[in-house]
Amino acid sequence: MDLSFDQIPETALSWHQAGKGAALATVIETWGSAPRPVGAQLAVSGDAELVGSVSGGCVEAAVVAEALDALETGTSQILTFGVSDEDAFAVGLTCGGTIRVMVEPVGGENGLAPVLLSDVCAARAERSAIAVLTDTSTWVRKRLDFSDAPSVFGDGRSGFLSDDQVFTWLSNPPLRLAIVGGAHIAQPLVQMAKMTGYDVTVIDPRDAFASETRFPDVPLLNLWPDQALEEHGLDHRTALVTLTHDPKLDDPAIRAALRSDVFYIGCLGSTRTHAKRVARLSDDGFSEAEIARLDAPVGLNIGAKSPAEIAVSIMAELTERLRRPTSRPGACLRNDAA
């Protein structure tokens, strides 16, 4: 199993199903300079295996101990850590923040029902938005399915607390990155994107470029990009990067992406290359506003030269589009990566 940062619910479910036992710890409220946002999660197995984080390391040891206790008792609880608490200094929360963490065993007397966790994982696999509402005074939980209204989750929130007792865990489908072109830059870009929590697919009809030797443990689609993207799917949790420099391969992917609601479209190529690309898209009937969605030349202008450095610049720009969606492409300095 891919134990990437965004596979925390799936990992907890797999541990439970394997008989190891599992608990989920979720940040439900923060004040001040808390190291992790509301909705951040940590999964703990009965063997003390860990995936994720609720504090960037500050209170992990204390939360893990409580999670292991929760597996023994089968009961959920709320933990509070703050700089004014003796426990906070003991566990290292000295950054000036306070956090509340909900610890839930999977199963147990008032824990998270395995069937509910399974529903969450199934919805994520189907790329549907879902929420779990937990009344922390009674530990009654219910599921809300937003499969017909994914824009509910468009602001990227992962959870919020209402009425000081009902926590809503918002679970978006995993982020995806489709890379068109198995170029040299794609190799470090794949690794960086996976570390950042993206499900990555490399698309290239040329077997020599999109090969298992060059991209081990990465889904490969050896199809023409428009056909590949139809199979792959494009939605508001998907980003696209084109790296081939070949209009026969890049343009079909770009046209497909412009007709979708992907949140990022990055295109490798010089300013001159992009000007030719814009002319072709205009001839195809795309408007100036539609073409303005393209980030090209791709990546933030950090002076990148090597493939790995260019990959860093691409991931930085992609992250900005995800976290600051109102930022305009023209407002950023560009990396003339061709």
Side-chain angles (χ1 to χ4, degrees):
M1 168 177 287
D2 178 10
L3 299 186
S4 68
F5 190 78
D6 201 46
Q7 295 291 311
I8 296 170
E10 291 81 359
T11 303
L13 181 62
S14 71
W15 284 338
H16 172 79
Q17 292 173 336
K20 293 183 177 183
L24 273 176
T26 307
V27 177
I28 64 169
E29 198 167 12
T30 66
W31 299 268
S33 302
R36 296 284 291 133
V38 171
Q41 288 188 313
L42 169 71
V44 182
S45 79
D47 295 332
E49 299 165 286
L50 312 178
V51 173
S53 171
V54 291
S55 72
C58 299
V59 303
E60 250 67 13
V63 173
V64 169
E66 296 293 345
L68 293 174
D69 285 345
L71 287 174
E72 292 290 331
T73 63
T75 58
S76 301
Q77 61 176 316
I78 304 293
L79 310 175
T80 302
F81 300 97
V83 293
S84 60
D85 298 332
E86 214 174 278
D87 289 344
F89 286 108
V91 297
L93 190 63
T94 58
C95 51
T98 303
I99 62 173
R100 293 177 69 198
V101 180
M102 178 172 67
V103 178
E104 304 172 280
V106 179
E109 180 182 347
N110 65 6
L112 179 61
V115 65
L116 188 55
L117 181 58
S118 181
D119 286 346
V120 169
C121 294
R124 286 162 56 86
E126 295 168 359
R127 303 201 59 74
S128 298
I130 192 172
V132 175
L133 276 64
T134 301
D135 186 328
T136 60
S137 64
T138 63
W139 296 111
V140 172
R141 300 167 178 85
K142 66 178 179 178
R143 163 187 169 175
L144 295 180
D145 191 343
F146 291 98
S147 57
D148 295 328
S151 61
V152 170
F153 296 80
D155 61 3
R157 294 181 303 167
S158 53
F160 59 89
L161 188 69
S162 60
D163 301 327
D164 200 34
Q165 63 183 30
V166 177
F167 178 71
T168 302
W169 168 27
L170 307 179
S171 182
N172 268 311
L175 292 163
R176 296 188 299 179
L177 172 61
I179 300 173
V180 175
H184 193 178
I185 296 169
Q187 292 176 297
L189 180 59
V190 163
Q191 298 305 316
M192 294 177 193
K194 290 177 68 176
M195 291 174 64
T196 313
Y198 287 79
D199 291 340
V200 186
T201 299
V202 174
I203 297 168
D204 200 316
R206 304 167 297 182
D207 293 345
F209 285 84
S211 67
E212 292 184 5
T213 301
R214 290 170 58 79
F215 298 98
D217 302 318
V218 178
L220 304 173
L221 290 177
N222 294 115
L223 303 169
W224 284 94
D226 49 352
Q227 181 184 355
L229 290 174
E230 183 177 354
E231 179 177 315
H232 177 274
L234 296 171
D235 57 33
H236 72 295
R237 296 281 290 174
T238 300
L240 173 76
V241 174
T242 64
L243 300 175
T244 75
H245 283 291
D246 186 344
K248 294 193 304 295
L249 298 175
D250 285 353
D251 284 9
I254 294 167
R255 289 194 295 266
L258 287 175
R259 296 187 182 104
S260 74
D261 59 353
V262 296
F263 72 89
Y264 177 77
I265 309 171
C267 307
L268 187 70
S270 66
T271 302
R272 183 171 58 183
T273 297
H274 183 57
K276 295 177 181 178
R277 179 187 294 125
V278 169
R280 292 193 302 272
L281 291 171
S282 296
D283 290 342
D284 288 339
F286 288 97
S287 68
E288 183 177 342
E290 289 173 321
I291 296 172
R293 292 179 59 198
L294 303 181
D295 279 291
V298 71
L300 297 183
N301 186 3
I302 59 173
K305 298 297 182 183
S306 70
E309 289 174 348
I310 295 171
V312 168
S313 76
I314 293 171
M315 284 307 304
E317 185 174 66
L318 193 161
T319 302
E320 183 180 48
R321 295 293 172 265
L322 175 68
R323 302 303 179 191
R324 298 172 56 194
T326 58
S327 62
R328 297 296 304 152
C332 302
L333 295 173
R334 325 304 273 132
N335 173 35
D336 197 0

